[in-house]
Amino acid sequence: RLLLALLCAAPAASAPPPWEPAWSDPSPWVWGDEQPHSRPHSRPQLPVEVQCQEAQLVVIVHRDLFGNGRLVSAAELSLGPAACKHSRLDPSQKTVTFSAGLHECGSTVQITPDSLIYRTLLSYDPSPGSNPAIVRSDPAVIPIECHYPRRDNVSSGSIRPTWSPFNSALASQEKLLFSLRLMNEDWSSERDLSVFRLGDVLNIQAEVGTHSHVPLRLFVDSCVATLGPGAGNEPHYAIIDFNGCLVDGRSDATSSSFVTPRPRQDMLRFQIDAFRFAGDPRSLIYITCHLKVTPAEQSPDALNKACSFSKARNTWAPVEGTRDICSCCELGNCGQRGPRPAEPWNGHRYRRHDGDGATSEADVVIGPVLLTSAQRGQRPEGHQGAVTPLAVGTGLACAVAGVAVAGAALAIGLRRR
């Protein structure tokens, strides 16, 4: 009983992520720590079930979303930043089903060395009641992810001794793999759930997969925060600008900076303080960064640098290179090239510039990053009818713990008899 009381009294942030996708399992995701062998014969109804299929995802929402007996309307639910509507409504089962391709409805894809991660959102936006003076439920946003393993490239052609070695051909023709990930506090692994409180620190790791390529040094040319995927959305906020100046660290009451030294030349880390856009009901952001590489032996310069602002010294300092390459950060003009032409956004875009000093570059987006208005160390205020992923996960964890404690008590009672 004491264990159950402590678990249920723990803050929501300590609850395990309620959504754990399994790419190879066509069945819906399981909640909390529930394992297949521990499930009862009659599976409890889940508020949201997700199926990660080969080319699409299927989201089944039970209209009793909050477990309070009030059925939400199908018109109050939408999928992704594009607000796609449901594809099927089942009155008998009281479910709403969304079916969408992996690249549809504004979903984003993150490429890691091992996986393809597709992310989107299920949004609940309650319609106003008949009496505008009162509110009975709040909007809710539920993150959804599908993970798929990456496949290694193979060649079916026969080996010919006159061909160039495979490694040298790859070095000249390979399309580099850029990635951008939210990491945990000690940078040992990717963060499981992208939910933050104001005052938290976002650990962001940029990396390029060079494989057998010549040694390269990675830079983050720019980063922009928006309310939707893609740097062209409004409103937007510049985090990194002017070819590698972390301008967010120049703002008051922030400690945003690049992490020095680098772990490797093809990896760059930086930290930013969590924030949200003022005056907008959507408590989420997307972060789009423009990554690029140069040969590792090429010295950093004003166009290829990673500079942080030190409030203690009131000056800009580079991760590597001489201090003078950061002097243009204060001026806001580092001689960057003209603005890139607008292109349709596909969530992950590559460019290659050939010639001397050639660089490869890509636009990569992470998000949605969900934010709560509570400061770090505070528990968010609850609202009647409101639901968040963390709150749902905590409640379900308590329910599972309650069943476990009840079973243990029953076993002890039988043993005493």
Side-chain angles (χ1 to χ4, degrees), residues 75-405:
E76 297 173 328
L77 300 168
S78 62
L79 185 67
C84 292
K85 298 303 180 182
H86 62 280
S87 56
R88 185 162 58 91
L89 176 63
D90 190 337
S92 62
Q93 298 295 325
K94 300 179 182 178
T95 59
V96 180
T97 301
F98 295 85
S99 299
L102 296 176
H103 293 280
E104 295 177 351
C105 301
S107 64
T108 61
V109 57
Q110 177 186 352
I111 303 177
T112 69
D114 301 320
S115 304
L116 296 175
I117 305 173
Y118 292 87
R119 291 189 173 97
T120 189
L121 298 170
L122 176 67
S123 299
Y124 167 67
D125 187 12
S127 56
S130 57
N131 188 344
I134 61 174
V135 176
R136 297 192 183 275
S137 60
D138 281 344
V141 176
I142 300 172
I144 294 173
E145 293 185 2
C146 283
H147 292 229
Y148 300 86
R150 296 187 63 236
R151 304 297 189 192
D152 293 332
N153 292 326
V154 296
S155 174
S156 60
S158 59
I159 299 177
R160 299 180 183 178
T162 56
W163 284 3
S164 300
F166 178 72
N167 287 349
S168 63
L170 183 64
S172 61
Q173 300 176 9
E174 177 188 22
K175 184 165 67 173
L176 300 177
L177 174 64
F178 292 88
S179 65
L180 197 66
R181 294 188 285 172
L182 281 170
M183 307 297 289
N184 59 14
E185 291 185 359
D186 61 1
W187 302 93
S188 61
S189 62
E190 188 170 3
R191 186 181 173 105
D192 293 330
L193 194 62
S194 302
V195 181
F196 295 85
R197 288 186 174 92
L198 296 181
D200 286 345
V201 175
L202 278 65
N203 291 337
I204 301 179
Q205 178 173 292
E207 190 173 357
V208 58
T210 57
H211 301 292
S212 54
H213 204 286
V214 294
L216 298 173
R217 179 181 287 132
L218 176 69
F219 293 99
V220 182
D221 203 55
S222 63
C223 279
V224 177
T226 56
L227 289 170
N233 285 272
E234 294 290 344
H236 69 273
Y237 173 74
I239 300 172
I240 299 175
D241 205 350
F242 312 123
N243 304 103
C245 304
L246 209 162
V247 294
D248 182 57
R250 192 71 172 86
S251 304
D252 296 335
T254 64
S255 58
S256 303
S257 64
F258 286 104
V259 177
T260 183
R262 294 174 183 258
R264 302 193 310 266
Q265 290 299 310
D266 55 8
M267 180 185 294
L268 185 60
R269 294 170 172 172
F270 59 99
Q271 298 177 305
I272 60 174
D273 296 336
F275 64 90
R276 63 189 296 267
F277 284 95
D280 193 283
R282 292 168 289 179
S283 297
L284 57 87
I285 59 172
Y286 290 81
I287 299 176
T288 304
C289 295
H290 185 74
L291 311 182
K292 65 181 181 182
V293 293
T294 63
E297 66 271 14
Q298 177 179 321
S299 300
D301 53 33
L303 293 179
N304 304 285
K305 61 186 182 298
C307 296
S308 304
F309 184 77
S310 171
K311 289 185 171 63
R313 299 180 179 180
N314 196 34
T315 186
W316 291 87
V319 172
E320 64 264 302
T322 58
R323 287 185 174 271
D324 61 292
I325 64 175
C326 297
S327 59
C328 61
C329 294
E330 194 68 22
L331 302 175
N333 182 6
C334 293
Q336 64 267 32
R337 297 182 297 269
R340 295 185 292 269
E343 300 177 20
W345 177 256
N346 62 3
H348 202 102
R349 187 165 58 235
Y350 294 94
R351 292 186 187 84
R352 181 178 293 276
H353 296 267
D354 297 322
D356 295 337
T359 62
S360 295
E361 48 193 311
D363 292 333
V364 187
V365 60
I366 56 175
V369 178
L370 304 180
L371 301 136
T372 66
S373 57
Q375 295 292 329
R376 189 174 189 179
Q378 295 179 349
R379 179 176 298 188
E381 297 181 0
H383 300 279
Q384 181 178 358
V387 63
T388 65
L390 292 178
V392 173
T394 305
L396 291 172
C398 291
V400 173
V403 173
V405 172

